Amino acid sequence: MARTLSFKTVSPDRIAIPETRQIELTDVESQLCTLLDECTQHLADQKGIVTSCRVAGGWVRDKLLGSESHDIDIALTDMMGYPFAVEFAEYVSEIKHIPVKSIATVKGNPGQSKHLETAKTTVLGIELDFVNLRDEAYADNSRIPTEVTFGTPLQDALRRDITINSLFYNVHTRSVEDHCGKGLDDLKNGIIRTPLPPRQTFLDDPLRVIRCIRFASRFGFDMVSELQESARDSEIQASLLLHGALAIVALAQKITRERVGEEIDKMMGGRNPLRSIQLIDSLSLFTTIFCIPEPTASTLSGPAASPSLAVAAAAILRTFLRPEARIFDHPALHPLLASAVTSPSVAARLNLACALTPYRGVTYVDHKKKERPAVEAAIRDGLKVGTKNHYLDGIPALFAAAELLKSPKLDSERFQTPSERVAIGMLLRDTSVHNPLVDSHWTTSVLFSLVQDLVFSYDASTDAFDVDSAAACIQIYNAFMTRVQELDLEKAVDAKHILDGREVVQVLGAAKHGQWTGRVLTDVMKWQLGHPDGSKEDCAEWLRTEHAEGRITTEDSKASIVVGKRGKSSRQETTAKKPKT
């Protein structure tokens, strides 16, 4: 009887939460708080300006969780950020004689959740953002506030996305303030909750749905049921989708879609991408987040598969990338596969590719009437993350490579002609499989192909993964990688042509380069792979012989040669069909 397991019930992997909920300031942080406190007293005494400073949001949350944070947001009462930043810089530099970097301003941008101008500077090596405490009012069908006013700490806390992000640290009293009354308890208990009713919070700003997912996955926290119900609400999902699908209507909406991509990028490069994908699936948000807008959507070759396949792919990948937290038992991966992920950007790219697995095999028709992979449209138009981490140019290549590499059984006929070494070497050198220009390495492509093949061992309808079938598949890939090493192909994949294009033209006495040059270089590489100990002179002599015997041409025809197992060649030529009359 086959062994099966569920991927949807994998533990959220909650972070360790300190027993004490107190903020321990570093010496530099303490000095900064002193400067802020003294500056406000100086303003009151010398200029009659009354204000107070609180550190807001993420820094407070992270410090309470025992993590360091170097990005501090200062929230001010009854004073705008830029005027205070100017006064603070003057006080620190002229009175305290501490260097301060020049003040920069970030204009308000509702599409990126920045509704007020922010002032930025750096003091004591700490980056500071200054903005006033605020209250906001929204109109129906718009996430751009109709009114932004000075607010109290409570009003400012209530307008934030979740309670654990609504905490303040009062620099004057050196104490944590929980004006919502739930933030500290939710942090202790691992809860994701909105300060206001979630439906109101999400309708004010649909992006907060995705931010809730990101923080739940980052910390392994649980969403309250009311929040989950609101995230599944059709009106809220339509509101979130509207801001992306109709991006051409208004700039603010267009930027919102880019903001969705930024949140997804943070999840894919974060602590637990699998948890993010699980939540996207369980909240029925896959087609809302990974949407393909019209008119591209109308050209799709078919619908996306079950979003549960994204969960399966991400769970399999996590098992390989985090052996200490493996989800299922499996044969040890070949060392080349186990070490295939060499950087955070590669890991993020693989995670996002797994998230887009439901689009595998689906195509769309571009403006030139050419079929293109749907994952490309989802990245370019749905997430707008561009080439960051080589998402746009790297992920479609991963799926193309998975098609080329799938089920690499060594007794397959495709690995026998013209020889095993040449066939496998040319496969691994395919630009979809290996392309250093887009940070794509053949070992990463093979790993992703394995993940995609293992998805076929998953039944989305029952959330059951066949562990025994998966083990057999892994053994096939391990055997393939072992053979790659035995054939000494690791360096050959990166090897330059033994003869470059200029040399090929010279050897064959051709007048100039042409399309033929690329075809000949392909044959040169086949010869090179088949003759690992061959010299440049040997290759040149072979090339002259092939040309003299008519098996290769320097004209831009469709002629090519096929190199046999023993270096023998036969000519294959195709001609264009005659037009019908």
Side-chain angles (χ1 to χ4, degrees), residues 296 299-300 362-366 370-374 376-377 380:
T296 303
T299 71
L300 291 176
V362 181
T363 61
Y364 75 97
V365 179
D366 68 12
K370 292 184 178 180
E371 277 196 337
R372 306 288 299 173
E376 179 185 275
R380 184 191 62 235

Side-chain angles (χ1 to χ4, degrees), residues 337 360 398-416 424 427-428 445-457 469-470 472-481:
L337 291 179
R360 181 182 61 199
L398 281 172
F399 280 98
E403 285 299 309
L404 292 173
L405 293 163
K406 64 182 178 182
S407 189
K409 296 180 180 179
L410 293 173
D411 59 358
S412 171
E413 184 178 347
R414 63 177 170 147
F415 295 141
Q416 308 308 314
I424 294 178
L427 173 63
L428 298 182
S445 297
V446 176
L447 177 64
F448 183 71
S449 179
L450 170 59
V451 170
Q452 290 297 301
D453 275 4
L454 290 177
V455 169
F456 288 109
S457 298
S469 172
C473 182
I474 292 171
Q475 296 287 26
I476 291 173
Y477 275 81
N478 281 346
F480 176 77
M481 297 300 283

Side-chain angles (χ1 to χ4, degrees), residues 495-569:
K496 294 182 179 180
H497 287 78
I498 196 169
L499 296 175
D500 61 25
R502 177 183 56 82
E503 291 169 327
V504 164
V505 171
Q506 290 177 345
V507 168
L508 297 181
K512 61 180 181 179
H513 291 79
Q515 293 180 352
W516 65 270
T517 315
R519 292 192 293 271
V520 173
L521 284 172
T522 297
D523 290 316
V524 166
M525 179 51 66
K526 290 179 180 178
W527 181 92
Q528 186 174 334
L529 287 167
H531 301 78
D533 297 323
S535 66
K536 179 177 291 191
E537 291 73 20
D538 293 336
C539 183
E541 183 60 31
W542 168 82
L543 199 56
R544 292 189 192 97
T545 300
E546 297 301 306
H547 182 243
E549 296 183 4
R551 288 190 289 268
I552 193 169
T553 179
T554 57
E555 297 178 359
D556 282 336
S557 67
K558 293 186 178 179
S560 63
I561 61 173
V562 177
V563 182
K565 291 184 178 181
R566 298 182 180 177
K568 295 182 179 180
S569 307

Side-chain angles (χ1 to χ4, degrees), residues 255-328:
I255 294 174
T256 297
R257 201 65 213 178
E258 292 172 346
R259 192 69 179 91
V260 171
E262 290 179 12
E263 292 293 327
I264 294 299
D265 171 50
K266 291 176 181 178
M267 293 183 206
M268 297 302 102
R271 177 175 168 271
N272 195 345
L274 169 60
R275 176 65 170 164
S276 301
I277 297 170
Q278 284 177 319
L279 290 171
I280 290 170
D281 177 36
S282 69
L283 298 175
S284 303
L285 283 166
F286 181 85
T287 54
T288 300
I289 291 176
F290 302 112
C291 72
I292 297 179
E294 294 291 354
T296 303
S298 64
T299 71
L300 291 176
S301 62
S306 169
S308 297
L309 296 183
V311 176
I316 294 165
L317 180 65
R318 171 175 152 160
T319 286
F320 294 153
L321 297 189
R322 295 181 57 187
E324 79 285 356
R326 67 169 56 188
I327 296 169
F328 62 94

Side-chain angles (χ1 to χ4, degrees), residues 56-237:
W59 180 90
V60 185
R61 177 201 65 225
D62 290 346
K63 293 290 285 188
L64 287 169
L65 289 174
S67 300
E68 293 303 315
S69 180
H70 304 289
D71 183 14
I72 297 182
D73 297 334
I74 304 298
L76 305 159
T77 55
D78 302 311
M79 192 172 184
M80 301 293 285
Y82 182 75
F84 180 84
V86 172
E87 296 285 356
F88 181 66
E90 179 181 315
Y91 174 81
V92 171
S93 61
E94 295 185 6
I95 297 179
K96 294 296 183 178
H97 306 295
I98 296 173
V100 180
K101 284 192 176 181
S102 59
I103 300 170
T105 58
V106 179
K107 299 295 182 182
N109 191 331
Q112 293 190 342
S113 299
K114 297 181 185 296
H115 302 311
L116 287 181
E117 182 177 273
T118 302
K120 304 173 72 72
T121 189
T122 300
V123 177
L124 301 173
I126 299 177
E127 295 182 4
L128 301 174
D129 286 10
F130 296 93
V131 70
N132 62 286
L133 292 170
R134 56 199 185 273
D135 190 23
E136 298 168 353
Y138 293 83
D140 292 340
N141 302 321
S142 174
R143 64 180 299 267
I144 301 175
T146 56
E147 185 178 12
V148 180
T149 61
F150 284 111
T152 65
L154 173 60
Q155 289 171 326
D156 191 277
L158 291 175
R159 52 161 288 279
R160 294 180 180 268
D161 48 12
I162 51 179
T163 56
I164 63 172
N165 290 343
S166 68
L167 300 168
F168 294 109
Y169 182 75
N170 191 313
V171 303
H172 311 292
T173 63
R174 302 290 179 101
S175 63
V176 175
E177 297 176 348
D178 183 5
H179 294 278
C180 293
K182 299 176 182 176
L184 287 172
D185 285 342
D186 287 347
L187 197 63
K188 176 184 177 181
N189 298 320
I191 297 296
I192 299 295
R193 186 199 319 267
T194 54
L196 294 173
R199 180 177 173 79
Q200 176 183 342
T201 298
F202 295 156
L203 286 177
D204 283 347
D205 183 353
L207 185 67
R208 290 169 178 163
V209 175
I210 305 176
R211 286 179 58 83
C212 286
I213 293 174
R214 176 160 70 86
F215 285 109
S217 62
R218 176 179 173 182
F219 300 124
F221 286 2
D222 297 318
M223 295 177 173
V224 296
S225 58
E226 184 184 12
L227 187 153
Q228 295 184 52
E229 292 171 5
S230 294
R232 295 188 185 99
D233 183 275
S234 59
E235 183 180 357
I236 290 170
Q237 293 202 358

